[in-house]
């Protein structure tokens, strides 16, 4: 606002705004018509010399009827290019240009080169910013820029014949004015221009300038899948030895079960061949029944013990199957934990703004049109 200032202090966390009750400047600007009239009130009357009678045979240019125009193009500061707008330029209507008038009014066009760079985001993006300011006031205001895309085809070297020129309010003949134009442009763009990129801190990824949210999300998902694959691959070293040990033990247990099953089956067949109930027959028989009884009882006992060993081996084999399933359960939990972590990381990104530094702004051209 008027008489408001921004104070940036290293002792404060944020800038503060303060005002002053009065302000004084000893540097006055260009005199206005009213000020000139006031200063000349006490001056002696000036009598203009009587111009010679015009030669009726000589044609003279028609003088403009309005008092704010002149038939002479306004003086422009040295080394400032001067163009004349082609009424058919694509942006002519944007500034209110008309093809049916020879009344010309000055404006300012500017072309600025911008470089947006960020080492961490690996951004190195160039833009060309072009704008027209119409009509320019006494004090240049970069905030009144009208964005246009102009080139040499939009201009003519000279204006139409018999053109009249509106007296500019801006001091276009002063080099200092155009220096202020360049300075104000840089300050305005420094504050207002930036590019947006997306940042995924978990994946350490940044989007490219102009890359859509959807395209960046797809890249994040692919990168997260790569990270998950790498993390899962590391589980191999941890689980490979455990799985191999249990599988070897399981193979041995299965082999032992098969052996005992064969042994039990053979003993059962032997008992069948010797006759079912052989022990009872011997027990109830006649002489030497104690020897036969012993042999029959021994066969029966060995078959029972073999059956018990088979049950033990089957139990051990079942335990190994259970241990293998337990390892698979642990592996499943670890895999899900890894995939859930990187799936969440893929979706965790935000938009950030990359601004400009003063060295990133180059005013390529300021011209009067």
């Amino acid at each position: 606002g008027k008489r408001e200032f921004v104070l940036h202090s290293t002792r404060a966390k944020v800038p503060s705004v303060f005002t002053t009750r009065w302000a004084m400047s000893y540097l006055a600007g260009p005199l206005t018509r009213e000020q000139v009239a006031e200063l000349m009130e006490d001056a002696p009357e000036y009598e203009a010399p009587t111009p010679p009678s015009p030669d009726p045979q000589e044609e003279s240019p028609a003088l403009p009827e309005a008092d704010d125009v002149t038939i002479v193009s306004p003086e422009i500061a040295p080394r400032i290019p001067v163009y004349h707008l082609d009424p058919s330029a694509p942006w002519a209507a944007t500034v209110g240009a008309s093809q049916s008038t020879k009344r010309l009014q000055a404006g300012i066009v500017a072309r600025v080169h911008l470089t947006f760079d960020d080492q961490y985001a690996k951004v190195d993006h160039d833009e060309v910013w072009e704008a027209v300011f119409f009509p320019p006031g006494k004090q240049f205001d970069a905030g009144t820029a009208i964005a246009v895309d102009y080139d040499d085809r939009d201009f003519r070297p000279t204006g139409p014949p018999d053109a009249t020129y509106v007296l500019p309010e801006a001091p276009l003949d002063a080099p200092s004015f155009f220096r202020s134009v360049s300075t104000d442009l840089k300050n305005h763009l420094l504050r207002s221009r930036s590019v947006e990129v997306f940042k995924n801190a978990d994946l350490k990824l940044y989007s490219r300038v102009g890359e859509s949210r959807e395209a960046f999300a797809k890249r994040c998902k692919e990168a997260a899948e790569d990270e998950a694959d790498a993390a899962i691959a590391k589980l191999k070293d941890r689980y490979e030895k455990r799985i191999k040990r249990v599988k070897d033990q399981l193979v041995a247990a299965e082999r032992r079960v098969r052996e005992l099953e064969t042994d039990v089956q053979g003993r059962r067949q032997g008992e069948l061949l010797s006759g079912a109930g052989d022990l009872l027959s011997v027990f109830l028989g006649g002489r030497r029944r104690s020897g036969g009884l012993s042999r029959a009882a021994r066969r029966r006992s060995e078959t029972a013990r073999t059956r018990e060993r088979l049950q033990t081996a089957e139990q051990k084999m079942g335990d190994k199957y259970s241990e293998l399933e337990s390892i698979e359960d642990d592996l499943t939990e670890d895999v899900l934990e890894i995939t859930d972590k990187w799936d969440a990381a893929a979706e965790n990104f935000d938009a950030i703004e990359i601004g400009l530094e003063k060295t990133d702004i180059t005013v390529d051209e300021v011209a009067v049109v």
Side-chain angles (χ1 to χ4, degrees):
K2 292 183 178 180
R3 299 190 179 93
E4 286 188 347
F5 301 87
V6 176
L7 172 64
H8 177 71
S9 172
T10 56
R11 298 184 179 89
K13 293 183 178 180
V14 296
S16 59
V17 178
F18 68 94
T19 60
T20 178
R21 295 179 61 184
W22 55 271
M24 178 180 291
S25 172
Y26 293 98
L27 302 176
L31 296 177
T32 64
R33 292 175 180 269
E34 292 76 12
Q35 290 173 325
V36 172
E38 183 179 354
L39 291 172
M40 295 298 292
E41 284 181 352
D42 299 331
E45 292 291 335
Y46 170 74
E47 294 182 1
T50 303
S53 299
D55 187 344
Q57 295 182 351
E58 292 183 0
E59 294 184 0
S60 60
L63 296 178
E65 297 180 358
D67 59 359
D68 64 339
V69 297
T70 176
I71 60 174
V72 179
S73 176
E75 185 178 354
I76 308 300
R79 294 187 295 277
I80 298 299
V82 178
Y83 308 130
H84 290 78
L85 179 63
D86 188 329
S88 63
W91 51 274
T94 305
V95 295
S98 171
Q99 297 189 19
S100 60
T101 180
K102 295 183 178 181
R103 175 186 170 96
L104 304 184
Q105 189 171 359
I108 294 176
V109 290
R111 179 182 292 116
V112 185
H113 183 269
L114 307 175
T115 299
F116 299 90
D117 53 1
D118 187 283
Q119 178 182 358
Y120 297 104
K122 296 181 180 179
V123 170
D124 188 3
H125 176 69
D126 292 328
E127 284 186 5
V128 175
W129 183 87
E130 295 174 333
V132 60
F133 303 86
F134 181 79
K138 291 181 180 180
Q139 298 295 328
F140 179 76
D141 184 2
T144 61
I146 303 171
V148 298
D149 181 11
Y150 75 85
D151 56 38
D152 294 342
R153 295 171 295 178
D154 299 334
F155 304 123
R156 295 176 177 176
T158 59
D162 302 332
T164 59
Y165 297 85
V166 176
L167 296 174
E169 184 180 358
L172 301 180
D173 59 337
S176 58
F177 174 76
F178 288 96
R179 288 195 294 270
S180 70
V181 169
S182 296
T183 300
D184 292 346
L185 278 175
K186 288 184 178 181
N187 292 335
H188 172 72
L189 295 172
L190 185 66
R191 295 189 303 267
S192 62
R193 297 289 295 182
S194 63
V195 293
E196 182 183 79
V197 296
F198 299 106
K199 174 184 178 181
N200 190 314
D202 295 333
L203 295 171
K204 298 179 181 179
L205 279 182
Y206 292 85
S207 71
R208 295 177 285 269
V209 176
E211 185 177 15
S212 67
R213 175 181 285 271
E214 292 74 16
F216 182 64
K218 182 179 179 181
R219 280 209 298 130
C220 288
K221 184 173 179 59
E222 292 172 352
E225 289 176 351
D226 291 340
E227 293 289 347
D229 291 344
I232 291 173
K234 292 180 180 179
L235 295 177
K236 179 180 178 181
D237 296 336
R238 194 198 320 170
Y239 280 93
E240 188 173 26
K241 291 182 179 179
R242 290 179 59 189
I243 293 174
K244 185 178 184 304
R245 176 180 58 80
V246 175
K247 282 189 173 182
D248 290 344
Q249 293 174 349
L250 182 59
V251 169
E254 290 175 340
R255 183 170 58 251
R256 179 59 176 164
V257 167
R258 287 194 300 270
E259 292 173 353
L260 290 173
E261 285 177 342
T262 301
D263 193 6
V264 168
Q265 185 177 6
R267 291 181 180 280
R268 286 176 178 175
Q269 290 176 349
E271 290 180 2
L272 290 174
L273 291 175
S274 63
D278 185 47
L279 181 59
L280 291 176
S281 298
V282 175
F283 182 71
L284 298 175
R287 296 180 178 179
R288 300 181 63 182
R289 61 175 181 269
S290 60
L293 181 62
S294 175
R295 288 191 297 273
R298 194 178 305 280
R299 288 197 302 269
R300 191 75 176 181
S301 176
E302 290 177 353
T303 300
R305 286 196 298 272
T306 302
R307 188 180 299 110
E308 290 176 358
R309 288 195 294 272
L310 174 60
Q311 291 175 350
T312 302
E314 289 175 341
Q315 180 64 41
K316 185 175 181 180
M317 184 177 68
D319 292 343
K320 294 305 173 183
Y321 273 116
S322 298
E323 186 175 355
L324 187 60
E325 290 178 352
S326 177
I327 293 175
E328 290 181 346
D329 290 340
D330 293 343
L331 179 59
T332 299
E333 291 181 2
D334 288 344
V335 169
L336 290 177
E337 182 180 353
I338 290 172
T339 54
D340 290 345
K341 170 187 173 182
W342 290 109
D343 285 346
E347 299 176 359
N348 184 26
F349 62 87
D350 301 301
I352 62 172
E353 299 289 332
I354 296 179
L356 294 164
E357 299 177 354
K358 287 187 176 181
T359 55
D360 298 329
I361 305 173
T362 303
V363 179
D364 293 331
E365 179 182 57
V366 173
V368 173
V369 55

